[in-house]
Amino acid sequence: MDTDALVLRPAAAADLGAVAEVHLQARTAAYPAFPRGIHPPGEVRAWVAGWDLGAREVWLAEAAGRVVGYLVLEGDWLDSLYVTPEAAGQSVGGALLDLAKGLRPAGFCLWVFESNLPARRFYDRRGLVALERTDGSGNQEHAPDIKMAWPGDRPLVFYRRLIDEVDTELGDLLARRVALTRAVQRHKAPAGPVTRDPDREADIVATVTARAPELGPDRVARLVHLLITESLAAAEEPRSW
């Protein structure tokens, strides 16, 4: 394909039918690296036809008047990037990704299935960084996936912004942990001393280690011990509200 003849343009409502076909073709051709879709083609076409182009930024790659790829940006997320099977390996995906970088110079994140090694290599070669892995419980296909990021033109600012988001979530989780610890202690020892359950704590360590394997069981055990110790201490104090 002559990439000089490739046209990148915003999608209009009349283009959404073609976008749905690119989506279906690309996902079908990517199997088994890409898990099979859980929705039949008719549902996919209806879903795409209902996209709000005021809230979802959709761009097309056209060659000879035909849509051969598209991307979707929502905020600082690259939600989708698909290319038709016949256009794969012809720089269409790279052109769309470069467009996304230009549209989001401060950086963006995306999800890619762990099994989709071609896509992971594609993003890796173009400067994206793998940040975290999940077991897939949060996606419709229930397939393990990887969060990747392009840190933009100011990587330190970008990563600190992500850290700030995590710290906010962590603060909420810690508050919930203290509240639940207080509730549990009232039932375990309503009139006696604070007690601990070593077997229960070992289960917590195993669960957290499975979610954060890079920390390893020893580090997780130390963190869990400290968390429970401080949660118990806080639970003994009167509420501030």
Side-chain angles (χ1 to χ4, degrees), residues 164-241:
D164 289 345
E165 292 173 1
V166 171
D167 287 344
T168 298
E169 295 173 9
L170 180 59
D172 292 339
L173 290 173
L174 290 173
R176 289 165 57 191
R177 188 63 167 83
V178 172
L180 290 169
T181 298
R182 178 181 285 111
V184 166
Q185 287 303 309
R186 288 173 179 168
H187 288 275
K188 286 176 60 179
V194 170
T195 60
R196 297 183 70 144
D197 184 340
D199 292 335
R200 168 70 174 164
E201 291 184 26
D203 290 341
I204 295 171
V205 169
T207 298
V208 175
T209 300
R211 304 287 291 185
E214 289 186 357
L215 283 173
D218 291 340
R219 290 190 184 93
V220 170
R222 291 193 293 271
L223 288 168
V224 167
H225 179 80
L226 178 62
L227 172 61
I228 293 175
T229 298
E230 297 302 328
S231 293
L232 286 169
E236 290 186 298
E237 300 173 356
R239 287 187 184 272
S240 59
W241 47 273

Side-chain angles (χ1 to χ4, degrees), residues 10 17 29 32 40 52 70 77 91 96 101 105 109 141 152 168 178 189 203 207 217 223:
D52 178 0
Y70 78 93
W77 282 88
S91 301
L96 285 168
K101 290 178 178 179
C109 294
E141 292 82 1
T168 298
V178 172
D203 290 341
T207 298
L223 288 168

Side-chain angles (χ1 to χ4, degrees), residues 17-140:
V19 168
E21 298 310 312
V22 172
H23 182 96
L24 291 167
Q25 292 171 27
R27 290 198 59 153
T28 299
Y31 180 81
F34 205 115
R36 291 195 187 280
I38 63 172
H39 299 286
E43 288 186 10
V44 173
R45 293 183 178 103
W47 168 62
V48 175
W51 284 0
D52 178 0
L53 296 180
R56 186 180 300 233
E57 193 172 346
V58 184
W59 286 77
L60 308 179
E62 271 187 343
R66 182 169 173 267
V67 178
V68 294
Y70 78 93
L71 68 80
V72 177
L73 289 162
E74 293 193 56
D76 55 2
W77 282 88
L78 177 56
D79 183 71
S80 301
L81 194 162
Y82 290 102
V83 175
T84 59
E86 63 270 23
Q90 300 187 53
S91 301
V92 176
L96 285 168
L97 186 61
D98 286 343
L99 173 64
K101 290 178 178 179
L103 293 169
R104 296 293 187 275
F108 56 81
C109 294
L110 61 86
W111 289 101
V112 61
F113 287 111
E114 183 181 23
S115 60
N116 195 351
L117 295 179
R120 291 170 59 186
R121 288 192 291 265
F122 168 81
Y123 291 123
D124 184 67
R125 288 195 303 268
R126 289 162 176 80
L128 276 77
V129 178
L131 295 181
E132 60 186 80
R133 177 191 181 276
T134 82
D135 61 3
S137 57
N139 62 58
Q140 291 186 333

